[in-house]
Amino acid sequence: MTDDVLSIGGEEIHLGERRQLALTVAKLYDFTDMKMPVEVVRGTTKGPVMFVSAAIHGDEINGVDIVRRLLKHRALKQICGTLIAIPIVNVFGFNDKSRYLPDRRDLNRSFPGAEHGSLASQVAYIFRTEIVNKCTHGIDLHTGAIHRTNLPQIRADLTNAANLMLAKSFGVPVILNASPRDGSLREMVNDKRIPMLLYEAGTALRFDKRAALLGVEGILNVMRSIGMLPPLLHSMKPPKPFIAKSSQWVRAPISGIFVTRKKLGEPVMKDEKIGFITNPFGDYEYAILSPTNGVIIGNSILPLANEGDGLYHIATFEAGEEVSNEELYPYINPDLTV
Ligand SMILES: [Zn+2]
C-alpha cells in the first residue's frame, strides 16, 4: 500500500491521476538523453502497486504489444491501487532489435545494478530505485529467444506461496517452477519478498496476437485476484494449471536439417520420435526421441540445427498427472512451428 503521492523520476503522481513519464537512463554519444517510457495509472483509492514490464530483453517485443493493449483496456477505469507500466525497459536493445545493451551485457543478469556501474548496471539501478522499490507486486513479460518460440506459460519461484497464488490466478495452463537466475530481476524481487511472475509467450522480434491477448487477460486476472480490479460478474473458471516440477532441453544430436513431428504445446511420451535431423538429399534420418513424458513448452522454429542446439524445451509433471492434447490445444500455435 502506498502513500497518497507516488514519486517517480522526480515527478509526483496523486491518487486518481494517469501520467506518462520518461526516465532518463543515460546519455548517448551525441549527448542526447536515452529515456525509458513509463505510464502510471492510479485509482482514486489506495491499494496494491504493481509493475508490468516488457522488453528487458530488447528484442522480446511481444510484451510491448501486451502493455499497449493493457493500457487501452477499459477495465483500468475501475482500478484500485496503482499500475506502473514500463513497455520498454531495455530501450537500447529495443531500438537496436537486440536482446542486449550496447555494452553487450544482458540486463536480466545485471540486477540489482549500480548508479555508476556499466550501462546495463545503470539501467538496472534506475529500474530498481524508481520502479521496483515502489511496488508490492510485479509481472515481467518475455518471449523465446530469436528462432525459438514459447508456449504461453508462467515462470515463478513457487516456494513463495504468494507467487503460487498469483501464478494460478493468471490463467494459463502451464506454470513452471523456476528458481531465479543470478542477477535477474526475478532474483532481486524475490529477495525483497515481492510477489512476481514472469510471463513467457511467443518468439523474439514478432507480435503474436493470441499470446498478447492471453497475456493481457492474465494480467487483468492477477489484478482482480489482488483487489486492484473488481471481480468479473460472469467469469469463466480458469483452466486448471499444470504445475511443471522441472523442464529439460532436447538438443540436436548431429548437425543438419531439422524436421519436427510435434507442435508447440503437444504432449510427448518418453522415447517417442518427436522429430529428426536429415541431410539435403533426404535419404538419411537421425531420429530425435523424447527423453521424458511431458509437454513441449518451447521449440526451435529454425529448421537448421548445429549439433548441441536446443530444439525442444519439455516440461515434466508429477507422476500420474496426465496432460491431454485437448486441454492444451487452444494454446498450440500452428503458425509458429517449423
Ligand atoms: Zn527474455
Side-chain angles (χ1 to χ4, degrees), residues 57 60 142-143:
H57 291 135
E60 298 182 7
H142 287 253
T143 75

Side-chain angles (χ1 to χ4, degrees), residues 74-85:
R74 63 182 185 279
L76 295 189
K77 288 188 169 58
Q78 295 180 287
I79 192 170
C80 163
T82 302
L83 172 70
I84 306 178

Side-chain angles (χ1 to χ4, degrees), residues 231-246:
L232 286 176
L233 291 177
H234 307 287
S235 70
M236 295 258 294
K237 223 172 157 296
K240 174 182 161 278
F242 296 101
I243 299 176
K245 57 177 182 172
S246 62

Side-chain angles (χ1 to χ4, degrees), residues 2 13 39 54 59 65 71 83 97 109 150 156-157 163 179 184 187 226 269 278 293 296-297 299 308 311 320 338:
T2 48
I13 306 120
E39 184 156 339
D59 61 350
D65 195 38
L71 288 172
L83 172 70
K97 298 188 285 292
R109 305 287 180 270
N150 281 331
D157 177 2
N163 281 349
S179 22
S184 66
E187 181 190 60
I226 58 175
M269 303 292 290
T278 185
N293 293 349
I296 298 173
I297 59 166
N299 61 241
L311 299 180
V338 173

Side-chain angles (χ1 to χ4, degrees), residues 108-280:
N108 214 20
R109 305 287 180 270
S110 303
F111 285 93
E115 190 174 6
H116 300 292
S118 68
L119 193 53
S121 186
Q122 291 173 46
V123 177
Y125 170 83
I126 288 167
F127 194 73
R128 168 168 59 90
T129 54
E130 294 290 350
I131 307 290
V132 175
N133 286 355
K134 322 260 164 96
C135 289
T136 59
H137 297 77
I139 300 177
D140 190 29
L141 308 169
H142 287 253
T143 75
I146 195 128
H147 301 317
R148 286 181 186 163
T149 187
N150 281 331
L151 185 75
Q153 61 195 266
I154 287 293
R155 296 184 186 175
D157 177 2
L158 301 180
T159 57
N160 177 340
N163 281 349
L164 180 60
M165 192 280 283
L166 287 194
K168 285 181 171 173
S169 69
F170 196 95
V172 287
V174 173
I175 300 173
L176 185 60
N177 182 25
S179 22
R181 288 167 184 254
D182 286 350
S184 66
L185 171 65
R186 214 151 58 79
E187 181 190 60
M188 182 189 79
V189 172
N190 267 16
D191 289 346
K192 292 176 183 287
R193 306 302 292 169
I194 297 171
M196 181 191 144
L197 302 179
L198 191 150
Y199 176 62
E200 279 274 1
T203 186
L205 295 177
R206 295 287 183 277
F207 281 177
D208 176 334
K209 186 175 178 186
R210 192 185 29 185
L213 295 177
L214 285 167
V216 171
E217 203 47 48
I219 294 164
L220 296 174
N221 285 339
V222 169
M223 293 174 74
R224 290 176 189 118
S225 78
I226 58 175
M228 291 180 74
L229 291 175
L232 286 176
L233 291 177
H234 307 287
S235 70
M236 295 258 294
K237 223 172 157 296
K240 174 182 161 278
F242 296 101
I243 299 176
K245 57 177 182 172
S246 62
S247 66
Q248 59 183 253
W249 276 94
V250 179
R251 297 190 174 275
I254 58 170
S255 299
I257 294 165
F258 166 50
V259 180
T260 187
R261 287 264 175 90
K262 291 286 180 182
K263 287 181 174 151
L264 188 66
E266 278 197 275
V268 294
M269 303 292 290
K270 182 171 169 43
D271 295 331
E272 182 181 0
K273 183 176 175 181
I274 53 178
F276 57 87
I277 304 281
T278 185
N279 64 11

